[in-house]
Amino acid sequence: MSNLPKCPKCGSEYTYEDGNIFVCPECAHEWSKEAVTESSDDVRVIKDAHGNVLQDGDSVTVIKDLKVKGSSLVVKVGTKVKNIRLVDGDHNIDCKIDGIGPMKLKSEFVKKA
């Protein structure tokens, strides 16, 4: 088995070395060997719409009306959401909104309260 790192873009295991860079054959992403050593202790940083760093347990305010998929409900501008949890993925905030229930939000649609 190879000791090469997985692709940081798509997570593919089939990376290979080409000189002093790594290449992913699945998504064609290229990165340097120095980038691997620097990002090995990577910490997830999620920022709100204004660039403030969010943490678990923060309170945020919704900055745009958000339609709830699959229902006629709408999360209105100014809705305050308490005690958020940060998760990996496209919708990186997991929370519970009063009157609506559990929901996942994108950090680009909230600001830190």
Side-chain angles (χ1 to χ4, degrees):
M1 230 37 215
S2 173
N3 290 2
L4 298 176
K6 291 183 179 182
C7 175
K9 190 171 181 183
C10 72
S12 172
E13 300 175 347
Y14 304 111
T15 58
Y16 62 90
E17 288 183 80
D18 186 16
N20 61 350
I21 61 171
F22 292 114
V23 180
C24 175
E26 292 184 6
C27 70
H29 180 65
E30 299 178 351
W31 68 101
S32 67
K33 291 182 180 180
E34 291 82 31
V36 172
T37 58
E38 293 170 6
S39 66
S40 61
D41 55 347
D42 224 2
V43 176
R44 176 181 59 191
V45 176
I46 297 175
K47 297 183 179 183
D48 69 359
H50 300 291
N52 299 319
V53 177
L54 297 174
Q55 297 178 343
D56 287 338
D58 282 347
S59 294
V60 295
T61 305
V62 178
I63 62 169
K64 177 183 175 186
D65 281 349
L66 302 172
K67 294 181 183 178
V68 178
K69 192 172 185 176
S71 77
S72 61
L73 298 174
V74 176
V75 179
K76 296 285 189 180
V77 172
T79 302
K80 190 167 184 180
V81 181
K82 299 177 185 175
N83 198 19
I84 65 169
R85 234 182 5 227
L86 302 177
V87 295
D88 291 329
D90 188 29
H91 292 73
N92 45 15
I93 297 175
D94 198 14
C95 61
K96 186 182 277 188
I97 299 176
D98 293 336
I100 295 177
M103 176 169 271
K104 291 191 177 220
L105 299 172
K106 291 185 176 183
S107 60
E108 63 197 57
F109 299 122
V110 299
K111 68 177 182 178
K112 196 168 185 176

